[in-house]
Amino acid sequence: MQNQDLQEAFIRLVNDSRGILYKICRMYGATEPDRQDLFQEIVIQLWRSYPSFRGESKFSTWLYRIALNTAISDLRKQRRYITPTDPDLLPTQLQDIQYSTEKEEQLQSLYAAINRLTELEKALTMLYLEDKSYTEMEEILGIPQNNLRVKMNRIKDKLRKMTKEAAYGIGNA
């Protein structure tokens, strides 16, 4: 029964954090199948790591760390594969991620610019858009706050330039 309680707690926490997972998958997955694969890989990694979650940080901070590391590692692989895991060992009550077409269209231009950023810049941008404090960002990314602030200012300038170029068709990317 203890495993059942562990699974129920995990499912509840992950379901409460679906928005975070959606954003990470959207930011790092180029196509819908890529996003679905990434979502599954992140959930598998979260489940594997969940017994070691000690509650020393917020669950969302821990989730970001695991999910971003999984997404970035996945991008770095030449071949895409998912480490085999016995499906009977995974929680089954998680629903597949759903994407809203209307919302997707509204975010398309922002994601187009963000997708041109480096892996680290994407992660930092996502955390910034999630209103994470620089303290939380430091904890998640392991980069000192002062460096994060400088990087974020540079990213903002870069995104402004890219969106201006896209809107007005000027300059080079």
Side-chain angles (χ1 to χ4, degrees), residues 91-110:
T92 57
Q93 291 84 7
L94 289 173
Q95 303 162 354
D96 282 338
I97 194 164
Q98 299 294 317
Y99 295 96
S100 162
T101 305
E102 181 181 320
K103 198 173 198 177
E104 194 70 25
E105 289 171 3
Q106 293 172 349
L107 297 174
Q108 192 171 11
S109 63
L110 175 62

Side-chain angles (χ1 to χ4, degrees), residues 25-146:
C25 291
R26 178 62 184 93
M27 190 137 342
Y28 287 92
T31 65
E32 183 66 23
D34 289 343
R35 292 178 198 130
Q36 291 291 335
D37 289 347
L38 181 56
F39 178 80
Q40 291 174 359
E41 183 65 19
I42 289 170
V43 170
I44 289 168
Q45 295 305 322
L46 288 168
W47 177 244
R48 285 182 178 160
S49 302
Y50 186 62
S52 66
F53 176 64
R54 296 183 304 261
E56 293 172 357
S57 63
K58 291 192 279 185
F59 180 78
S60 62
T61 300
W62 176 83
L63 181 130
Y64 268 118
R65 185 178 299 134
I66 300 292
L68 285 170
N69 284 338
T70 301
I72 290 170
S73 294
D74 194 53
L75 276 178
R76 290 182 178 157
K77 293 178 186 174
Q78 291 294 336
R79 292 183 316 149
R80 294 189 53 96
Y81 74 94
I82 297 176
T83 306
T85 298
D86 184 359
D88 295 332
L89 299 177
L90 297 172
T92 57
Q93 291 84 7
L94 289 173
Q95 303 162 354
D96 282 338
I97 194 164
Q98 299 294 317
Y99 295 96
S100 162
T101 305
E102 181 181 320
K103 198 173 198 177
E104 194 70 25
E105 289 171 3
Q106 293 172 349
L107 297 174
Q108 192 171 11
S109 63
L110 175 62
Y111 283 124
I114 291 172
N115 280 331
R116 294 170 57 194
L117 299 174
T118 67
E119 295 164 1
L120 177 61
E121 289 171 336
K122 285 181 187 180
L124 183 53
T125 300
M126 189 189 64
L127 294 172
Y128 180 82
L129 291 173
E130 285 289 310
D131 291 326
K132 295 295 177 189
S133 69
Y134 283 102
T135 302
E136 290 172 301
M137 290 182 207
E138 178 180 28
E139 191 174 330
I140 292 166
L141 298 173
I143 298 171
Q145 288 183 42
N146 289 340

Side-chain angles (χ1 to χ4, degrees), residues 11-29:
I11 290 166
R12 186 175 46 259
L13 289 167
V14 170
N15 279 333
D16 290 347
S17 302
R18 293 185 75 71
I20 294 169
L21 296 177
Y22 166 77
K23 289 173 185 150
I24 291 171
C25 291
R26 178 62 184 93
M27 190 137 342
Y28 287 92

